[in-house]
Amino acid sequence: MNIAVCVKQVIDTEAEKKLDPASWRLDRNVTCILNPYDEYAVEEALRIKEAHGGEVTAVCMGPKKAEDAVRKALAMGADKGVIVTDDALAGSDAQATAYVLAEALKGVEWDLVIFGVRSTDGETGCVPAAVAERLGVPLLSTLAKVEVQGSNISVHRETEQGYVAYECPTPAVISVIKGINEPRYPSMKGIMGAKKKPIDAKDASALSLDTSQVGQSGSKTRVLSARTPEPRKAGEKIEDDGTGAQKIVEFLASQKLV
Amino acid sequence: MSNQSGILVVAEPKDGKLANVTLESITQARALAGGPVSVVVAAAETAPYVAAAGRYGADRVYVVESPEAAVFRPGPFIDVVAAAVAAAEPALILCAGSPDGRDIAAGCAARLGAGLLVDITGLEAKDDGFVTTHPCFGGTVIVDKDATSTPVVATVRPNVFAREEAPKEPEVVNLSVDFAPAGLLAKVLDVVCENLGIVSLEEASVIVAGGRGVGKAENFKLIEELASELGAAVGASRAIVDEGWVPHQIQVGQTGKTVSPQLYIACGISGAIQHAAGMRTAKNIVAINRDPEAAIFNFADYGVVGDLLTIVPALTEEIRKRKAAS
Ligand SMILES: Cc1cc2nc3c(=O)[nH]c(=O)nc-3n(C[C@H](O)[C@H](O)[C@H](O)COP(=O)(O)OP(=O)(O)OC[C@H]3O[C@@H](n4cnc5c(N)ncnc54)[C@H](O)[C@@H]3O)c2cc1C
Ligand SMILES: Nc1ncnc2c1ncn2[C@@H]1O[C@H](COP(=O)(O)O)[C@@H](O)[C@H]1O
């Protein structure tokens, strides 16, 4: 089974997030990492490949430096990469991103596309469903278990109460959550090998993208303003002298919370 | 301006009730619709949901009653919403900020070629549309957005908007929907409920969460007992999820759930930035931690420095006494 994994490069949580007040774009000149959720997606793809054969392609849209995220997927064991980079794509929102990824995926051989459940900077969790809709194939999201049986997949979708089990033929699009597996660390050999694996760099014209649908101007949502909220201040702090529990109840009562 | 008007709320059915976030969305929609407030609901049996939508003041309810809609699947539910959008011609479509709601919203926006505004915590009308507010990067940045075309699809963060009844006899419209074959390819095999009675973390107005400070897996029951006394949901830090003490469904934080309850009680949680990312927007934060320097105290509204193994059971007892007295 051939698998495409969509991987995004995100800004490290610990790095300061700055929005440029002229464009409201994120300053990406800080430490960037492979989106933590996408590590689960790559791992799941590799496990399926190891059990059933096929090729794993990591697909990414992002600036030139996002190639590092693709290299990480290759170092983990993916076979090849596709990266879509173009100035025209900067500032794309979730729908515009989904359009670009769907077009990029049309040039890749896959039976299954695996996404992380959400990106830790965009945080929409909406790209997988939008891509599935554009590709016209079924979507199963937030999966905690995936098994391949022939050309079908059998999966568990997490719910508050437990899970729902589904079966679905491929081609299909899925997204996976933390807990589905334990992502491997790239080995030294993997890291060295990744340097030689092919990454196909594409721009908007190579994919014949309709540029009126991408980038900041092609996005149907726009940022009007951004602000840093008043930082939460430290409230009262007391030392427990045996009355800590009572004091908490008094606080809760004063706030009408009990 | 377009002739689309009013707001369509996509109901999230939950075991015979409407999810709180649906009721919150209807309430908020009523305040600023500038047109009718419609609700669309798909389920195997819809009567209780229609009644609930009326109780919260929906003008019209679009109903799809079908065995295909008994259990959530993105395809058929997107078909339903697309049909309701065609019938209602709303300016704004509000979906639940839940996994199901996100799948519906994203799929619908892609199908309609509409803008998509995700995880809104603020919603205001302006002359030619709406302005929405979004917490970004774990609540460290707040962004206002709008859409450049109508209709626009949005997902609503649970627990942010108020929920108020305003009973009304809604007009009920049965929709007939031809489900697209691709979406029906996913077959439901089984619905498994392992944690019956659990309070939904994202919808909970009170959450009691435990971290590595609970010491060992068995002690987590102290957290559960306090939660049960408060009618609260339980949450956890990643540290103890990774230890295998609790299931990952209850992890709060950057790689877990994002929650905005009225009250978050953090017990034995250091307050690392990745944990804060998922709970910083709670209205009130109470922290119990042995270490006076713990980061959680920098943003807790009320902090107690001490041993949770004695304070948490005492707190459970205090709450129990208080409830008995009232
Ligand atoms: C990419 C990435 C993603 C992450 N995502 C998440 C996430 O989603 N959610 C998350 O929570 N973390 C996440 N983390 C981990 C995060 O950085 C912290 O390591 C984690 O939150 C720590 O959990 P903790 O506070 O329970 O444990 P600790 O940091 O070990 O803190 C335990 C606390 O308990 C206190 N304590 C100990 N004993 C007692 C007692 N008897 N009574 C009272 N207090 C006591 C201690 O003083 C201490 O402050 C992530 C990390 C990375 C790198
Ligand atoms: N620019 C991108 N390039 C590749 N994959 C992406 C991109 N943006 C989002 N994704 C994928 O979509 C998932 C959900 O992202 P989001 O909708 O931004 O929360 C991520 O985990 C990735 O798998």
Side-chain angles (χ1 to χ4, degrees):
Chain A
M1 179 168 285
N2 291 320
I3 300 175
V5 193
C6 290
V7 293
K8 185 184 185 188
Q9 187 183 52
V10 298
I11 293 183
D12 192 5
T13 327
E14 322 241 359
E16 194 188 344
K17 317 292 185 304
K18 275 190 293 209
L19 294 181
D20 170 12
S23 67
W24 299 123
R25 277 188 214 154
L26 197 55
D27 175 2
R28 292 190 180 269
N29 289 319
V30 289
T31 320
C32 290
I33 55 171
L34 170 61
N35 177 31
Y37 282 107
D38 298 350
E39 292 187 22
Y40 301 102
V42 174
E43 178 64 37
E44 201 56 28
L46 296 176
R47 288 185 189 198
I48 295 173
K49 170 191 156 160
E50 281 154 11
H52 303 275
E55 259 195 333
V56 175
T57 309
V59 179
C60 175
M61 172 188 119
K64 190 92 191 45
K65 76 185 263 198
E67 204 180 295
D68 294 345
V70 179
R71 288 273 172 225
K72 171 139 190 209
L74 297 179
M76 286 173 74
D79 299 290
K80 52 192 174 52
V82 173
I83 181 163
V84 189
T85 303
D86 200 311
D87 287 343
L89 303 177
S92 293
D93 69 1
Q95 287 298 329
T97 301
Y99 165 61
V100 176
L101 289 177
E103 292 306 308
L105 284 164
K106 287 178 186 167
V108 174
E109 267 185 50
W110 52 268
D111 304 292
L112 188 64
V113 186
I114 310 186
F115 285 85
V117 72
R118 67 173 192 228
S119 62
T120 55
D121 57 359
E123 288 183 305
T124 77
C126 282
V127 170
V131 170
E133 176 66 29
R134 286 183 174 276
L135 294 173
V137 301
L139 163 80
L140 288 164
S141 69
T142 48
L143 302 184
K145 186 175 163 193
V146 178
E147 263 172 21
V148 170
Q149 289 146 352
S151 62
N152 287 342
I153 53 169
S154 149
V155 305
H156 287 182
R157 181 174 192 260
E158 187 192 62
T159 62
E160 294 283 353
Q161 312 273 314
Y163 63 88
V164 179
Y166 298 88
E167 194 180 59
C168 184
T170 55
V173 169
I174 61 174
S175 73
V176 300
I177 57 172
K178 169 179 180 286
I180 188 169
N181 57 40
E182 202 46 64
R184 67 195 68 184
Y185 289 104
S187 64
M188 210 23 137
K189 191 160 153 268
I191 295 170
M192 298 313 290
K195 297 197 173 124
K196 295 193 214 83
K197 289 180 178 170
I199 297 185
D200 187 4
K202 293 202 171 338
D203 60 11
S205 69
L207 288 175
S208 314
L209 294 179
D210 170 0
T211 44
S212 73
Q213 287 194 53
V214 299
Q216 202 150 9
S217 59
S219 294
K220 294 196 167 94
T221 62
R222 62 183 172 192
V223 176
L224 300 172
S225 66
R227 57 193 179 275
T228 321
E230 277 285 300
R232 275 195 100 103
K233 289 196 220 47
E236 197 180 342
K237 182 168 83 179
I238 61 151
E239 202 62 61
D240 179 38
D241 57 2
T243 61
Q246 264 160 286
K247 298 232 173 75
I248 292 175
V249 173
E250 281 161 27
F251 169 79
L252 297 182
S254 74
Q255 302 296 311
K256 303 202 164 44
L257 292 164
V258 282
Chain B
M1 234 190 95
S2 62
N3 50 11
Q4 288 135 338
S5 74
I7 298 178
L8 175 69
V9 176
V10 178
E12 179 145 308
K14 253 189 170 171
D15 312 320
K17 292 190 178 142
L18 286 179
N20 287 343
V21 65
T22 299
L23 304 177
E24 290 154 9
S25 300
I26 299 173
T27 307
Q28 182 67 13
R30 252 178 21 228
L32 45 73
V37 175
S38 314
V39 172
V40 55
V41 61
E45 272 180 56
T46 55
Y49 308 121
V50 173
R55 209 157 51 244
Y56 281 80
D59 298 302
R60 192 180 303 138
V61 185
Y62 293 97
V63 170
V64 176
E65 203 158 276
S66 162
E68 299 288 10
V71 179
F72 176 74
R73 282 180 298 173
F77 276 75
I78 294 167
D79 295 339
V80 165
V81 178
V85 170
E89 298 193 47
L92 173 67
I93 299 138
L94 294 178
C95 297
S98 66
D100 298 4
R102 275 189 284 275
D103 285 354
I104 296 173
C108 251
R111 191 175 297 181
L112 301 170
L116 175 63
L117 294 157
V118 183
D119 199 25
I120 63 171
T121 57
L123 176 62
E124 274 172 40
K126 57 170 187 168
D127 314 339
D128 54 350
F130 300 90
V131 178
T132 54
T133 306
H134 308 251
C136 298
F137 313 125
T140 53
V141 178
I142 307 289
V143 167
D144 287 330
K145 291 190 188 177
D146 72 355
T148 52
S149 62
T150 50
V152 54
V153 184
T155 66
V156 179
R157 184 180 283 204
N159 247 310
V160 174
F161 296 110
R163 160 171 102 234
E164 268 159 39
E165 294 194 7
K168 190 168 202 170
E169 192 66 49
E171 179 194 346
V172 177
V173 182
N174 283 298
L175 284 181
S176 71
V177 179
D178 292 323
F179 294 114
L184 297 176
L185 290 174
K187 297 262 180 295
V188 178
L189 300 181
D190 200 5
V191 179
V192 178
C193 297
E194 291 163 331
N195 323 307
L196 270 182
I198 196 174
V199 181
S200 154
L201 201 52
E202 275 134 325
E203 294 242 305
S205 60
V206 181
I207 294 171
V208 184
R212 204 194 297 281
V214 301
K216 54 180 179 189
E218 298 84 274
N219 289 345
F220 197 74
K221 73 170 185 305
L222 300 176
I223 305 296
E224 290 168 338
E225 283 161 6
L226 175 57
S228 143
E229 208 56 51
L230 287 164
V234 285
S237 73
R238 173 163 175 173
I240 68 170
V241 171
D242 288 352
E243 292 284 352
W245 296 354
V246 293
H248 62 84
Q249 274 101 323
I250 68 169
Q251 180 183 315
V252 172
Q254 184 201 297
T255 43
K257 304 247 150 89
T258 302
V259 298
S260 299
Q262 297 295 318
L263 171 64
Y264 190 92
I265 306 183
C267 311
I269 292 177
S270 59
I273 184 162
Q274 294 89 354
H275 187 78
M279 46 70 79
R280 201 192 324 252
T281 54
K283 298 256 160 43
N284 291 278
I285 298 173
V286 171
I288 304 169
N289 196 303
R290 209 159 57 178
D291 173 9
E293 303 299 322
I296 190 96
F297 289 128
N298 297 334
F299 57 95
D301 302 287
Y302 197 77
V304 178
V305 182
D307 189 347
L308 77 90
L309 298 178
T310 57
I311 298 171
V312 170
L315 185 53
T316 308
E317 196 47 42
E318 285 293 327
I319 305 277
R320 188 174 294 146
K321 275 198 284 192
R322 207 184 146 85
K323 276 188 1 199
S326 67

